[in-house]
Amino acid sequence: MKERQSSSGDLTRSFLPAQQDIAYTLHQRDFDDIAQLTAQICGTSNSLITLLDNNMPSTKSVYGTAAEKIKKDFSLPILSLQQSGVLVIPDTLASDLLKNNQSVIAAPFIRFYAGLAVLSESGEPLAIISVLDLAPAALSEEQVFGIGMMAKQLQLLLSAKENYNNNKTETTTVFDEKFRI
């Protein structure tokens, strides 16, 4: 990330162009595959990948109809940033944090949530990978391990795409300078 000065003179953090490219492109199959596999590992019918840009969330991938309905409601995924490790809420209606949440008390009536913050090498939050369902549930140790492994895959994917975009930008710059385009 780099710092930039806003029009009001405040310093703000912004993603490098390569990270912005990842955050604002259409859903890419790699992200969709991670979302679907995470839901299957955890035995849920829904999952989300939420990217963080200046700590502002944006939905990158959605798997399942309930997840599709809440893709603009970031109140559930953001909870995962407040905990190290996998946050598991077996019954959202029994949770003081969520019992009044719109996605819990109204359609799609989310009853189970689990999520994990995906961090950069330096510990910055990059994304949140989460699973949810319409019935209370729990995760086994293997499923908690599985969501952790999928978070690592997501981190690798984000790093690979950032490196690719950085290399593409460097190559374009060298080409432009050499041929004066």
Side-chain angles (χ1 to χ4, degrees):
M1 274 191 240
K2 63 182 178 181
E3 289 187 345
R4 65 178 171 82
Q5 207 160 16
S6 70
S7 57
S8 65
D10 298 332
L11 283 178
T12 59
R13 291 183 349 184
S14 65
F15 271 75
L16 299 171
Q19 291 166 310
Q20 288 174 342
D21 185 45
I22 294 168
Y24 296 110
T25 56
L26 294 175
H27 295 276
Q28 297 169 11
R29 188 73 209 155
D30 296 334
F31 292 96
D32 293 340
D33 289 346
I34 290 173
Q36 182 177 359
L37 187 54
T38 303
Q40 289 174 347
I41 288 169
C42 294
T44 64
S45 57
N46 300 275
S47 66
L48 292 168
I49 293 176
T50 307
L51 296 184
L52 301 169
D53 182 356
N54 290 329
N55 292 322
M56 293 297 295
S58 64
T59 301
K60 181 63 178 171
S61 184
V62 175
Y63 176 76
T65 56
E68 182 68 36
K69 290 178 183 175
I70 69 159
K71 70 181 181 182
K72 293 193 187 306
D73 175 6
F74 301 109
S75 59
L76 292 172
I78 294 301
L79 290 174
S80 299
L81 293 174
Q82 300 169 6
Q83 177 170 328
S84 65
V86 179
L87 169 67
V88 178
I89 302 174
D91 186 349
T92 56
L93 282 178
S95 165
D96 288 337
L97 286 172
L98 295 175
K99 65 184 176 187
N100 296 317
N101 182 288
Q102 275 306 118
S103 296
V104 172
I105 61 173
F109 302 101
I110 302 300
R111 292 294 305 276
F112 169 76
Y113 174 81
L116 178 62
V118 178
L119 306 176
S120 70
E121 298 277 331
S122 63
E124 298 269 342
L126 299 173
I128 302 157
I129 189 165
S130 53
V131 293
L132 44 122
D133 225 327
L134 304 180
L139 294 180
S140 68
E141 284 183 40
E142 291 84 10
Q143 290 170 319
V144 169
F145 178 78
I147 198 170
M149 294 305 293
M150 295 312 297
K152 283 184 181 183
Q153 293 303 308
L154 180 55
Q155 180 199 36
L156 290 171
L157 177 61
L158 290 167
S159 295
K161 289 193 179 291
E162 180 180 353
N163 289 337
Y164 170 78
N165 287 335
N166 285 340
N167 289 336
K168 191 168 99 175
T169 301
E170 289 170 13
T171 303
T172 302
T173 303
V174 169
F175 181 83
D176 289 349
E177 287 174 2
K178 186 173 183 176
F179 296 102
R180 307 257 181 226
I181 294 179

